[in-house]
Amino acid sequence: MERRGLTEAQRRQIVCFLFTLPALAVVFVFFLFPMLRSLVLSFTNWDGIGHDFQWVGLKNFATVVTDSSFRQVVVNTLYLIVIYVPVLNVIALLLAVAVYNSGRAGNIYKSMLFFPNLLSMTVIALIWKIIYNNGGILNQFLKAVGLKILARDWLGLPQTVLPAMSFTIIWFAVGYYLLIYLAGLNTVPVELYESAEVEGVTRTQKLFRITIPLIAPSVTINIVLSTIGIITLFDLPFVLTRGGPGYLSETLALHVYFYAFVQLQTTYALALAVLLGMFAILITSIQLRLLRRREEASR
Amino acid sequence: MKSARLLGHRQRARLGVNVAMIIISLLLVLPLWYVLNNAFKVEQEILRQPLVLLPSTATLANVVRAFTAMNYPLRFMNSVVILVLSCVLLVSLGTLAAFGIAMARSRFLDRVYTLLVAMITLPFQLAMVPLIFMLKGFGLMNTYWGTALVYSGWFLPFVIFIYTGFMRTIPRELEEAGRVDGCGLFRSLLSIYIPLLKSVTGTVLILRGVPIWNDLLVSLITLSRSTMSTLPLKLYSFIGTYGSAGTRWTLVFGGTVIVSAPILLVFLFLQRYFVRGAVAGAVKG
């Protein structure tokens, strides 16, 4: 059994490495390598079909950034990050506190709120398309209760399309983030709340002085997860609005798809994908750094 | 006396919370009810009375029409095959790799692991275009394997992360004792580690199996041939054909319900695991 030049420990390491090899091969071939290729080819005039290309420097990036749609798409993506992420997290946290305080029935609420998460986003988007539709149930309801003034084509108007889309995404996602907050809440010692109650601390004070500092890690996880989630979200907005009307609800993630598979402008898709990737890495690492620092400060 | 009053106050607060939560939960599932009950109505009934299902006018016609129009059995089979292939790849390759990383204590594999963890958050859109070009080159477009391999490449970093985290909590002595008894690494993986991985595998299957089953994007770009399309993909193209006209919503209602039915059935039976599994992944991160 002895192999020359290899100690027992070294052989073990080689066997361990062989175990990782199939997975690493799949990840490399089907994920990492295409990413690196995107990065390289975004500086070329590759047509997406053949194997030939020439270097064109930053030309694709310049074209993408100066395109008339780019500004709108970036604004939409930022809107979702700035509005959707905080609103989602506040709602999820409040609901988690409510579920935590609701005793036995908590499990039922939890399951009900988590329920939309199981459905395909295609299904979710379809359901809400029907609801928001001009003659849809939302407008029917508004007319029935005498708020006819509010009835409108929710997904067709510039002012309402993004709020309506955000509402749908929150409706879909809130149950998942609630579960993570709830898991955090369950780690807070009950005695803390009991002694706070004896000392007459108000409910708001409890939330801000005890709960939030103690579940800071869950807050960090949820904010980072929901930010990445919204930056890369595709299925739901794609089926709900396809980015329309015009570019008014189109995000970076959708824009990459349209460049690549609808307009067949491969190099623009690559350049935009690279920008999207850099943006995702940048914003999540800033968030992580800030939130970790807060976590430590509140400890 | 004081403690009795405190309890009374707390019970009242709890009652208030429960009332609020009942209302919120019901409002939240209302859209789903809206679709479910309308799937079993005729069109005039939907417009007249969108929220109440009268058993006297209930009909299976929408569901049946959607079922045949979608060629449901074929889509269902496509979805199942892709799901099973992906999950087999994720679980088998993920377990092997995590075991290697957890056992090796080598600096190189630790670096590889860090790289894999960093990859979890990278957007799929970054790989999308060259990936499709490659799949075409390999002849993997419009094949079950091609689509399953795309899901595997995308989700393996996360799966390896979950498995490695779990394996690192298993005491090393277990494997070392096995080694004394003459167990090779592979033997100890099979007879010591795998039996311990049941619950974490459940977590992996829920956290990545459900998104694969529900996914539109990957099937949209890898399965262009209509005979290959999965349930969500077929439902999507279905809307294009019927929904935009605005008149065939009954079919869309029916289609939505039959596309969602399989996962709802699974959820009803495995509810507890779903809720637990969903948290496990995030909390580890």
Side-chain angles (χ1 to χ4, degrees):
Chain A
M1 283 303 280
E2 274 296 308
R3 249 179 261 164
R4 249 184 304 150
L6 287 176
T7 64
E8 173 68 29
Q10 276 169 329
R11 257 202 293 148
R12 212 177 126 82
Q13 294 217 341
I14 291 172
V15 174
C16 283
F17 177 70
L18 290 178
F19 280 162
T20 63
L21 215 52
L24 293 184
V26 170
V27 173
F28 182 78
V29 174
F30 292 94
F31 199 53
L32 187 59
F33 180 69
M35 281 191 180
L36 299 173
R37 229 175 134 80
S38 283
L39 195 59
V40 172
L41 291 171
S42 63
F43 297 99
T44 71
N45 65 355
W46 181 52
D47 59 4
I49 301 160
H51 289 272
D52 311 319
F53 55 80
Q54 274 110 40
W55 299 98
V56 295
L58 289 169
K59 191 174 148 268
N60 298 321
F61 292 90
T63 314
V64 165
V65 171
T66 51
D67 188 272
S68 56
S69 57
F70 182 74
R71 222 184 98 99
Q72 185 67 49
V73 169
V74 169
V75 168
N76 294 341
T77 310
L78 289 176
Y79 173 96
L80 287 174
I81 294 171
V82 173
I83 304 289
Y84 161 83
V85 171
V87 172
L88 170 76
N89 278 283
V90 169
I91 294 176
L93 179 61
L94 290 178
L95 286 177
V97 172
V99 170
Y100 180 82
N101 287 322
S102 60
R104 280 213 183 149
N107 276 328
I108 302 172
Y109 307 140
K110 204 164 71 174
S111 288
M112 281 172 86
L113 294 170
F114 180 69
F115 202 65
N117 244 276
L118 294 168
L119 301 180
S120 169
M121 281 192 262
T122 312
V123 167
I124 303 288
L126 258 183
I127 293 177
W128 283 90
K129 223 175 144 147
I130 297 173
I131 293 173
Y132 286 136
N133 190 29
N134 231 341
I137 179 123
L138 179 59
N139 287 339
Q140 282 179 38
F141 171 78
L142 289 172
K143 281 171 193 161
V145 297
L147 290 168
K148 198 176 174 198
I149 238 178
L150 288 176
R152 63 200 65 202
D153 182 8
W154 295 93
L155 296 176
L157 295 172
Q159 308 89 310
T160 52
V161 60
L162 271 183
M165 184 195 278
S166 308
F167 185 85
T168 302
I169 306 173
I170 290 171
W171 175 85
F172 168 72
V174 73
Y176 177 73
Y177 295 96
L178 174 148
L179 287 184
I180 300 175
Y181 279 128
L182 206 56
L185 286 174
N186 285 326
T187 64
V188 178
V190 186
E191 295 78 27
L192 268 179
Y193 289 117
E194 280 167 359
S195 57
E197 224 162 274
V198 172
E199 286 175 26
V201 175
T202 68
R203 214 174 292 169
T204 335
Q205 280 174 324
K206 259 198 277 180
L207 182 65
F208 283 101
R209 300 264 173 82
I210 304 175
T211 308
I212 292 178
L214 281 174
I215 62 161
S218 312
V219 178
T220 308
I221 295 167
N222 270 349
I223 288 182
V224 173
L225 278 183
S226 51
T227 308
I228 299 173
I230 197 72
I231 293 175
T232 55
L233 188 71
F234 177 84
D235 294 2
L236 204 153
F238 180 69
V239 178
L240 193 67
T241 66
R242 272 188 82 101
Y247 292 106
L248 286 166
S249 65
E250 192 156 324
T251 60
L252 282 169
L254 259 71
H255 210 45
V256 174
Y257 172 85
F258 285 125
Y259 265 143
F261 299 108
V262 179
Q263 300 165 20
L264 303 175
Q265 288 169 316
T266 311
T267 48
Y268 298 163
L270 292 173
L272 194 70
V274 169
L275 291 178
L276 173 69
M278 284 177 3
F279 180 64
I281 294 169
L282 187 74
I283 196 154
T284 49
S285 51
I286 291 173
Q287 278 181 339
L288 268 178
R289 184 165 294 182
L290 288 177
L291 290 163
R292 289 265 186 247
R293 199 181 294 159
R294 287 220 69 161
E295 264 178 51
E296 266 146 38
S298 67
R299 213 164 267 160
Chain B
M1 269 330 268
K2 198 187 169 197
S3 74
R5 230 178 40 226
L6 198 69
L7 207 73
H9 166 74
R10 213 190 274 168
Q11 273 170 343
R12 248 183 299 138
R14 176 158 293 182
L15 187 70
V17 167
N18 272 294
V19 171
M21 283 311 294
I22 289 171
I23 295 171
I24 292 171
S25 309
L26 287 178
L27 279 178
L28 200 111
V29 293
L30 188 66
L32 302 176
W33 165 250
Y34 169 65
V35 171
L36 185 68
N37 91 86
N38 282 341
F40 299 100
K41 284 188 201 161
V42 292
E43 202 158 340
Q44 303 89 308
E45 232 2 61
I46 295 175
L47 291 172
R48 211 168 58 82
Q49 184 51 276
L51 283 179
V52 186
L53 177 63
L54 300 172
S56 56
T57 52
T59 168
L60 278 175
N62 301 330
V63 171
V64 172
R65 283 225 315 281
F67 190 91
T68 30
M70 283 179 76
N71 195 352
Y72 189 85
L74 175 67
R75 316 300 162 193
F76 182 78
M77 193 194 68
N78 290 342
S79 276
V80 168
V81 173
I82 288 169
L83 176 73
V84 170
L85 282 181
S86 313
C87 286
V88 167
L89 284 172
L90 285 176
V91 169
S92 60
L93 302 189
T95 316
L96 268 178
F99 184 69
I101 291 167
M103 289 300 117
R105 295 189 214 180
S106 86
R107 193 179 281 179
F108 171 70
L109 279 186
D110 283 348
R111 288 219 182 112
V112 170
Y113 178 66
T114 314
L115 179 72
L116 285 172
V117 174
M119 283 167 64
I120 294 173
T121 59
L122 290 177
F124 176 73
Q125 282 86 357
L126 190 51
M128 205 160 70
V129 181
L131 185 62
I132 294 305
F133 177 73
M134 256 174 47
L135 286 182
K136 281 180 188 153
F138 292 159
L140 284 172
M141 280 291 276
N142 286 308
T143 62
Y144 295 135
W145 276 107
T147 308
L149 281 164
V150 171
Y151 286 124
S152 306
W154 184 9
F155 292 150
L156 264 172
F158 178 78
V159 172
I160 293 172
F161 166 69
I162 295 274
Y163 273 126
T164 309
F166 181 78
M167 287 192 191
R168 283 181 171 164
T169 66
I170 300 174
R172 285 183 160 280
E173 289 76 26
L174 229 54
E175 193 269 337
E176 276 157 14
R179 218 184 315 167
V180 174
D181 292 342
C183 256
L185 270 173
F186 199 67
R187 269 281 304 281
S188 47
L189 171 65
L190 286 183
S191 50
I192 304 176
Y193 278 75
I194 287 187
L196 296 172
L197 295 178
K198 259 187 222 148
S199 74
V200 73
T201 301
T203 303
V204 165
L205 291 179
I206 287 166
L207 284 175
R208 283 303 171 257
V210 175
I212 290 173
W213 175 264
N214 285 334
D215 177 74
L216 178 68
L217 176 58
V218 172
S219 49
L220 187 67
I221 61 178
T222 62
L223 304 170
S224 52
R225 195 176 301 151
S226 109
T227 51
M228 291 302 293
S229 52
T230 57
L231 285 174
L233 181 58
K234 187 62 199 175
L235 185 66
Y236 167 72
S237 51
F238 202 56
I239 317 160
T241 333
Y242 295 105
S244 51
T247 50
R248 305 295 288 272
W249 286 116
T250 47
L251 266 184
V252 182
F253 280 123
T256 321
V257 168
I258 53 175
V259 166
S260 308
I263 196 138
L264 296 188
L265 283 179
V266 175
F267 178 67
L268 282 182
F269 288 109
L270 302 172
Q271 193 173 342
R272 220 188 308 157
Y273 301 95
F274 268 78
V275 172
R276 204 183 297 153
V279 186
V283 174
K284 275 216 181 87

